[in-house]
Amino acid sequence: MTDRNQLWGDLLRRGTRGDAAAYGLFLTEAVPVLRNIARARLPGGNAEELEDVVQEVLMAVHAKRHTWRDSDPVTPWLYAIARYKCADAARRRLGRGGQGADVPIHDLAEVLPDEAGGEITAARDLGR
């Protein structure tokens, strides 16, 4: 486990138990990292758009902090929220008639359905 995971895990664990100072420190420590994630995933985004995404991530963390299992590392959980919020922002950008954005999907390969496997299963079920 990395030092960041240990520190952030401890702070979030204490924060979910009511330690407001620890929770505030967790959020303060996470903000620069979240900005870097937003900047990397939303190339060409202006400062205002990036800050909006960071704020959305922070609100999602606050609303969903109970979903983090305190026995797990906190960074994958936090980074997943940031990825989803960046994807939402990229979709909004496209919806506004923007120039579009490249949203990498390499980290989704494990969760995308295997279309070939579904056909085999469907054929077997139909055969029965």
Side-chain angles (χ1 to χ4, degrees):
M1 187 181 293
T2 67
D3 290 339
R4 178 179 289 166
N5 260 322
Q6 289 175 342
L7 173 64
W8 287 4
D10 179 56
L11 292 172
L12 185 54
R13 199 173 293 110
R14 289 173 30 210
T16 58
R17 292 181 183 137
D19 185 341
Y23 185 59
L25 185 56
F26 165 73
L27 296 174
T28 300
E29 292 274 330
V31 164
V33 175
L34 297 173
R35 275 194 194 109
N36 288 338
I37 292 170
R39 193 175 299 115
R41 291 191 169 265
L42 296 167
N46 62 40
E48 186 176 295
E49 179 183 26
L50 296 176
E51 281 304 306
D52 286 347
V53 171
V54 170
Q55 292 302 313
E56 288 177 23
V57 173
L58 293 174
M59 289 188 298
V61 165
H62 183 70
K64 298 296 182 181
R65 67 188 183 276
H66 67 278
T67 66
W68 174 63
R69 292 181 298 231
D70 65 359
S71 60
D72 291 346
V74 71
T75 55
W77 175 81
L78 181 65
Y79 296 174
I81 293 172
R83 279 194 312 271
Y84 290 126
K85 291 302 177 182
C86 287
D88 290 346
R91 282 192 294 276
R92 281 193 305 270
R93 183 189 287 177
L94 289 171
R96 289 192 311 252
Q99 296 177 1
D102 293 327
V103 179
I105 63 167
H106 65 275
D107 52 349
L108 298 176
E110 294 178 13
V111 296
L112 291 174
D114 181 5
E115 294 176 14
E119 292 172 10
I120 293 169
T121 306
R124 184 191 69 219
D125 291 345
L126 288 172
R128 287 185 185 161

